[in-house]
Amino acid sequence: MAPRVQLEKAAWRWVESVRPEDIQREHIEIAYRICVPACKRGACRRNCKGNPNCLVGIGEHAWLGEIDENTFHNIDDPNSERRDKNTFVGLTNLGATCYVNTFLQVWFHNLELRRTLYLCQNTRAEEHDMDSDYEPRSICEHLQYLFALLQNSNRRYIDPSGLVKALGLDTGQQQDAQEFSKLFLSLLEDTLSKQKNPNLHNVIQQQFCGQMSYVTVCNQCGRASPLPSRFYELELNIQGHKNLTECVTEFLKEEKLDGDNRYFCESCQSKQNAARRIKLHSLPRVLNLQLMRFVFDRQTGHKKKLNTFISFPEQLDMGPFLEEKGIKCVYELSAVLIHRGVSAYSGHYIAHVRDARTSDWYKFNDEEIEKMEGKKLQLGIEEDIAETVKSQTRKPKCSKGYHCSRNAYMLVYKCQREEDTDPMETNVEVPGFLERLVDRDNRKFEEWCLEMADMRKQSVDKGKAKHEEVKELYELLPAEDGQEYEFVPLEWLKKWLDDSTVTKEIDNGNFLCSHGKLHPDKVGEAKRISVKAAELLFDKYGGGPRLDGKSSTLCEECVGQRCRVLRLKNQLAEDYKEVTNLVKCPPKSDEGYWAGKTSLRSWRQLALEQLEEDEEETKHSNGKTNGEGPEITNLDGDEEEMKTFNEDILCRHGGLSILESERRLVTEEVWSKLRVYFPKAPQFTQLQEPCQQCLRLEREGKENEALNRMMASEQKSSLLNLFQEKNRPTLTKWPQETDILYIVPLFFVDEWRRFIRRPTKTTPVSSVGNSLLLCPHRGFMFTFDSMLKGDAQHIALLWPDEWEVISRHFLVDQPISICRISEATPNGSSVEYTTQPELCRDCREGFIFQQQRDMREYAQATVYVRKVIDDKRLKDAAPEMNVSGSEAEDEREEPVAKVDGERDPDFSQIMHAFSVAPFDQNLSIDGRCLTDDSATLGSLGVIPESVICLKVQTLPILDYELELFVERLCMPEEGFKGKDIF
């Protein structure tokens, strides 16, 4: 048995032999565990919560003895945030922005690009007053300021959130890094082209842009069709290749166009077999090579990562790959971007970058920057990350001057030029207006360092003072036997000894019982300390109320109530047997008491619950008198479980129930024993009369039921056809025997039929609410044509004689009728239909507009997709719906798939339903192709319950750039789009 349970039992063991009225002071002190021996230091592994005299294991060990002053604070040394000499500055990862940080570091180390950005005009910063707070606005301004901080900041790392926010990036979602690189360079090119300095207009083209062409040669006539194109990077397929040379060779390899992919030759004016290849004409100074590690998987419909080892050289000779031979074009490796992880949708990005000034290699991992030993690139540890993949491919041996990686996804090569060795070319000066901003940030950083150092000192001084206080007070805490004492919360003592929390005032309010004294069950959460220690603690920290050990603090009432409850719980089993036998004896004349039959069957369980509830009430300060039964909250039936004895024979008015079958008489002896356990239970003698109100209501209820039956019978006989839905008038076939019909809401008819079927269980219908069919101007809301097309589902039509009956039996707020008017004309007779009240045209037009808007803007609606095979178009795509187009011919179709209308058609959903890859999907509705992937369903004319036709069509081999664009467009989880940046 746990010590805490043992202490609990020992504190109340005396109740077996002591009645509540015989309780003495010694019993109260035993209940409050005043005399439980105190624990010695080293005897307890942790504090004994059940013992108020145990003062060990509450945090005192951290203060006793000598303490290192470094433990008095939790503030890191601010100098650890300072940039070391001759090191670079890192970038904070804002959640999922490591891919942005890698590119920023690569572009920062492009000295020519950095120099160009510094030359961009920034009028706001140049005119900036150092006393005002300048903040960059445009993307160019943010990039300027960020590069200046990366160059001259005193901080070890800086926050790029300003630039990231200006770009509109989601910091919680990892985007496509390669797509980000392309779009950002395109944005930068557009920004520089608008600068006043003409020397800046073509910097991006000079740095990153190369020229190539797609050349298609017809096999029939030999005509060559070149298509010039620019590129900022070469996207190289790595699947099936071992080194970079193989990847570039495949990129330039000739492609055969035959079969379904034949080329339309303008000279031959027909489709012909042809050959296509890419020709490189010029290369940029900085050559970005994208290794296509993230590819689309047709089977899963998602991207996957290729963990293929690729070998690449430190020096790359691109001369053999140029169309013009004999040109020397040697590049040197300047950066390698790494993706750690095995999935295309997760992982971490880092960058290895060569310093253009010293040729040293650095690893940039967000805030952390590490210089590589020697002058060589070292990728070893980065390749260990991917060892979790199933295919444990052994790393191939690399020749001298080569590197091998399974995680590299972008290689940056810089063209070797003589001017690169010029010291002037490697020195980039920060403009004065940016330098002033950096100096301002550095001053803020230095002020922060001084503030943190001062806070550290204050924390140490405070800790030393606390140390002396605790050492002095802890020795005074124990209360000696026979001396005065007080109680304080255990949690407060722990927080007082915990230097990481602020010590608040002492709060004993939670320890009070309903009588305003110390609750006996709260002793386990309090500690008994000496009065001298209590005086010092309350004088310094304040609080209250003070709980001393006098009679005014220890609650005799709570102890007595607990004693009563525990004794009754022990006596309950014996009383249950006795009551069971006594109930069998009938009471004498006029001496019995009414008891509920349900209560008698479950009184032992109710008594036990009542005792436990009484015991629980003594554990909380709720202001109620201990021992009271719970209030009766359910007097209206048996919907909730019975809580109080004899509650089952109470009526809703608090009197004796009129249902004699639910109660029985018991003797006075039985009732007296039950009253011990249920002192507040409802008591009714044998002579007590049942509730007079219930008797009166019972009589009135029977009379009302009879009236309702009579009313229902009369209404049914006079409106039999309406009730049975026979011989009903319709608008489509207007009855010839009448020129007027009356209109009521269908809701009224449904409610009336419900009353006729069950008149004693349903409230009679008293009125016809025709105002539901009227607008605020009291005009009718439907036309004759609209009721023919569907609005009639809201109304019911009545014959004139039926309307007379309705008018007699019900209160009608507004009669509504529709009349047929026939007129003779030279061409025959014409028929018109009018309503009374007349149609409100303004409200009707607004109603139609809202209906049309709801058809375009909707959520939680169903849209169907149906697959058409053999290039046949459906005539009947769905019940009651037609899809326009050419005539149907021997259609073959697959089942319809539902698409959730809460978002636009998802290529992935369609792919899983029909096993059709996104790039093979041709969607159309009403003969119109759905090609705009950025449009909404409503703008495309797709309304709820529409049927979209899916035709499988394999795309022919297009121009290489266009083919890549289509594939990216169809990717279901492509997260990065131009609009996200611009």
Side-chain angles (χ1 to χ4, degrees), residues 241-307:
H241 301 305
K242 297 180 180 179
N243 55 60
L244 190 62
T245 301
E246 293 180 4
C247 298
V248 178
T249 301
E250 188 206 25
F251 180 75
L252 302 175
K253 184 178 67 174
E254 184 177 87
E255 176 187 3
K256 301 294 184 183
L257 304 180
D258 52 18
D260 293 338
N261 295 326
R262 287 184 299 167
Y263 164 73
F264 183 83
C265 178
E266 294 184 359
S267 296
C268 301
Q269 286 297 304
S270 61
K271 286 190 174 183
Q272 300 291 340
N273 293 340
R276 177 178 292 168
R277 62 183 293 261
I278 296 175
K279 293 183 179 181
L280 292 178
H281 300 293
S282 65
L283 296 175
R285 296 177 186 175
V286 178
L287 180 61
N288 292 328
L289 300 179
Q290 293 280 7
L291 305 182
M292 305 300 288
R293 291 203 174 274
F294 308 119
V295 298
F296 183 73
D297 189 344
R298 287 174 176 263
Q299 293 182 347
T300 63
H302 300 287
K303 287 192 295 183
K304 67 177 181 179
K305 180 183 177 184
L306 299 177
N307 294 284

Side-chain angles (χ1 to χ4, degrees), residues 25 515-518 546-555:
R25 176 70 181 183
H515 312 102
K517 301 180 181 181
L518 177 61
R546 302 281 289 270
L547 298 176
D548 55 31
K550 301 176 182 178
S551 58
S552 60
T553 296
L554 305 184
C555 185

Side-chain angles (χ1 to χ4, degrees), residues 724-736:
Q724 296 179 346
E725 296 186 74
K726 292 182 178 180
N727 189 26
R728 306 312 308 149
T730 62
L731 297 178
T732 54
K733 295 182 179 180
W734 188 279
Q736 297 298 323

Side-chain angles (χ1 to χ4, degrees), residues 888-946:
E889 309 172 3
D890 302 329
E891 301 92 346
R892 289 193 296 117
E893 57 194 50
E894 292 192 7
V896 175
K898 288 186 179 181
V899 176
D900 186 0
E902 196 169 0
R903 57 182 185 273
D904 286 351
D906 191 316
F907 292 103
S908 179
Q909 283 183 280
I910 300 174
M911 182 191 69
H912 289 298
F914 296 110
S915 301
V916 179
F919 36 76
D920 294 334
Q921 298 173 10
N922 187 343
L923 303 176
S924 64
I925 183 171
D926 294 340
R928 295 179 291 104
C929 292
L930 305 180
T931 56
D932 187 355
D933 65 321
S934 64
T936 63
L937 289 173
S939 65
L940 293 173
V942 181
I943 65 176
E945 303 298 322
S946 291

Side-chain angles (χ1 to χ4, degrees), residues 19 206 253 436 625:
R19 295 181 299 177
Q206 295 168 359
K253 184 178 67 174
R436 291 195 299 272
T625 305

